[in-house]
Amino acid sequence: MVMIHLCAHLAFLVLPLFVFGAPADESDPKAATAIPNGCRRCCDSLESQGSSEATTSPAGHHASLYPMPEVRPYINITILKGDKGDRGEPGIPGKWGKEGPSGERGPQGQKGSKGQVGAPGDACKHQYAAFSVGRKKALHSSEGYQALIFDTVFVNLYGHFDMFKGKFYCYTAGLYYFSLNVHTWNFKETYMHVMHNNKEVVILYAQPSDRSIMQSQSLMLELRENDEIWVRLYKRERENAIYSDDVDIYITFSGYLIKPSLE
């Protein structure tokens, strides 16, 4: 009977352990701090629970669940922008940069006005020669020979034709072309020579006629430097003349260099 009573007392003492479980150890600090913070899910890891419990306060716990948005201030510069200031003084020029590539050739411009005539150069260096002169006055033969003098200049390149003497002076040796044109006089003979220095080269001749006509003569000559070319009216052995009316030009003498001897 005594054993039955003892078993009954032991069962009464052990029954709460099976119903409520063993009491928690109060000396564990994690268990002590876990109770007042609220409930925990059974699936939460111990490390996350421990670190969150040890480092966060109740306010920090709510902050980790609901993060605060980041606030960045924005300033409208257009509102703060002032009036444009005065232009400053120019600075010191910088160093010259590298030269760039050449550009494309531009369009051709308009032709400029003709410039002034330059000073004559050295006659010996000219590779061109040309003249063309005329006469407005008639000419009659005299007791001696007469050089035909001209009073009108059409072309006198570099002044190689002497208007006072009626002679062309060769400054550039080479091959030349010459041409003489005159108008005959009614009932008078026309008798002239183209002269090379003092030598008669070709004759221009027309017999007396009741009509006046134009007569011409032309030739080419090989000239040396300082040679002279001129026209001579034959002396008076018979009536000899060339016609002009002091208005129109009937008498012309021309020449030019075809090819210089030394190019």
Side-chain angles (χ1 to χ4, degrees):
M1 218 35 209
V2 175
M3 290 297 293
I4 295 172
H5 286 290
L6 291 174
C7 290
H9 287 292
L10 290 173
F12 181 78
L13 294 173
V14 174
L15 183 61
L17 296 175
F18 290 97
V19 177
F20 299 103
D25 189 3
E26 294 181 358
S27 62
D28 189 357
K30 294 181 179 180
T33 57
I35 295 173
N37 289 339
C39 299
R40 296 287 190 276
R41 292 181 298 175
C42 61
C43 60
D44 291 340
S45 62
L46 294 177
E47 292 181 359
S48 61
Q49 292 179 7
S51 61
S52 62
E53 291 172 358
T55 58
T56 59
S57 63
H61 174 70
H62 292 291
S64 63
L65 294 178
Y66 305 99
M68 294 297 291
E70 183 180 0
V71 179
R72 295 184 178 181
Y74 173 76
I75 301 175
N76 190 349
I77 301 177
T78 58
I79 300 176
L80 303 177
K81 185 177 180 181
D83 297 335
K84 185 177 180 180
D86 297 335
R87 185 173 182 178
E89 296 292 335
I92 301 174
K95 296 181 179 180
W96 286 95
K98 295 182 179 179
E99 184 177 358
S102 301
E104 297 181 358
R105 185 175 182 180
Q108 185 176 2
Q110 297 181 354
K111 185 178 180 180
S113 58
K114 186 176 181 180
Q116 298 180 354
V117 178
D122 187 357
C124 297
K125 296 181 180 180
H126 293 154
Q127 297 299 315
Y128 305 95
F131 73 93
S132 183
V133 293
R135 179 184 173 98
K136 293 182 179 180
K137 295 181 180 181
L139 182 64
H140 293 268
S141 60
S142 62
E143 296 298 329
Y145 297 109
Q146 297 181 74
L148 188 59
I149 305 300
F150 299 88
D151 52 28
T152 303
V153 177
F154 300 112
V155 175
N156 191 8
L157 189 62
Y158 308 124
H160 291 179
F161 190 90
D162 191 335
M163 295 295 292
F164 297 100
K165 296 181 180 180
K167 293 184 178 183
F168 169 74
Y169 292 91
C170 176
Y171 291 99
T172 303
L175 183 64
Y176 284 80
Y177 174 84
F178 298 98
S179 174
L180 174 64
N181 295 274
V182 299
H183 196 282
T184 64
W185 202 303
N186 293 355
F187 306 106
K188 295 183 179 180
E189 188 178 45
T190 301
Y191 191 2
M192 310 180 71
H193 286 100
V194 176
M195 305 292 293
H196 181 192
N197 297 326
N198 293 321
K199 180 181 179 181
E200 302 166 355
V201 181
V202 293
I203 187 173
L204 188 151
Y205 179 78
Q207 293 179 342
S209 172
D210 58 353
R211 294 187 309 165
S212 61
I213 58 174
M214 294 294 297
Q215 290 283 90
S216 65
Q217 181 64 278
S218 60
L219 74 159
M220 288 191 293
L221 291 173
E222 184 78 25
L223 301 184
R224 296 180 179 180
E225 191 173 347
N226 298 322
D227 280 353
E228 300 175 7
I229 301 295
W230 52 291
V231 180
R232 186 187 71 178
L233 185 65
Y234 201 76
K235 62 185 177 179
R236 181 180 293 172
E237 291 180 354
R238 47 190 175 263
E239 197 68 25
N240 182 21
I242 52 178
Y243 173 80
S244 186
D245 58 6
D246 296 336
V247 177
D248 296 321
I249 297 177
Y250 293 90
I251 306 164
T252 61
F253 185 38
S254 303
Y256 59 89
L257 174 65
I258 299 174
K259 181 180 181 297
S261 297
L262 297 176
E263 294 184 352

